[in-house]
Amino acid sequence: MTSSKPRTTQTMKPATAAKKLGVYLGATPAEFQEGVVSRDELNAMQANPPQWLADLRRNGPHPRPVVADKLGVSVSGLVRNGLSEPLTTEEIEAIKAENPRWLQIERDTQAEVRKESVRIKEKHAADAARRAAKEA
């Protein structure tokens, strides 16, 4: 027989919720920054974003992982080139339009990293298939 305990609501700190939402915490409303966010509230915001969230996602400022993704580089690549602060969509677009040499180099590096990851994944899969064939 199982005892029915009241279900506790899972909550998270605002920084965790902002990270999951892909927004910069410092740009969120004060009530978001000062409270806690339940899993249900997070799911509701993801399914039907409030206006402030939609605006932040569209215009920024964006956190480093989002900036890196929009530029097609790694977070490390941003830091190596002096971009450690959140950027707006407009600033990101200006960097893309300028297409500086560092951006080209970092994009090439990122492409190589992705190719190597695929190669390693395929090698591991082939090794696993060989091991399974030997055992059969």
Side-chain angles (χ1 to χ4, degrees), residues 20-127:
K20 289 180 181 286
L21 292 169
V23 295
Y24 176 59
L25 179 62
T28 60
E31 58 270 11
F32 181 86
Q33 293 179 36
E34 294 164 1
V36 294
V37 180
S38 72
R39 173 63 65 185
D40 292 338
E41 289 171 327
L42 180 74
N43 290 341
M45 281 190 260
Q46 287 173 323
N48 188 17
Q51 189 61 48
W52 64 264
L53 179 56
D55 291 344
L56 274 179
R57 285 179 169 169
R58 184 176 35 261
N59 304 320
H62 304 287
R64 280 188 296 191
V66 174
V67 173
D69 186 53
K70 287 179 178 278
L71 290 174
V73 301
S74 67
V75 172
S76 299
L78 289 177
V79 174
R80 274 192 295 273
N81 292 284
L83 296 175
S84 58
E85 296 299 315
L87 298 177
T88 64
T89 301
E90 187 176 307
E91 292 167 326
I92 293 167
E93 292 303 319
I95 292 170
K96 284 179 171 178
E98 183 184 322
N99 198 20
R101 181 80 180 121
W102 71 263
L103 181 59
Q104 296 167 29
I105 292 167
E106 292 296 342
R107 283 179 170 169
D108 291 345
T109 301
Q110 189 70 358
E112 289 300 317
V113 167
R114 287 185 181 128
K115 277 198 285 189
E116 182 64 7
S117 294
V118 168
R119 186 192 69 76
I120 290 170
K121 187 176 182 179
E122 289 170 350
K123 181 184 182 309
H124 286 280
D127 291 347

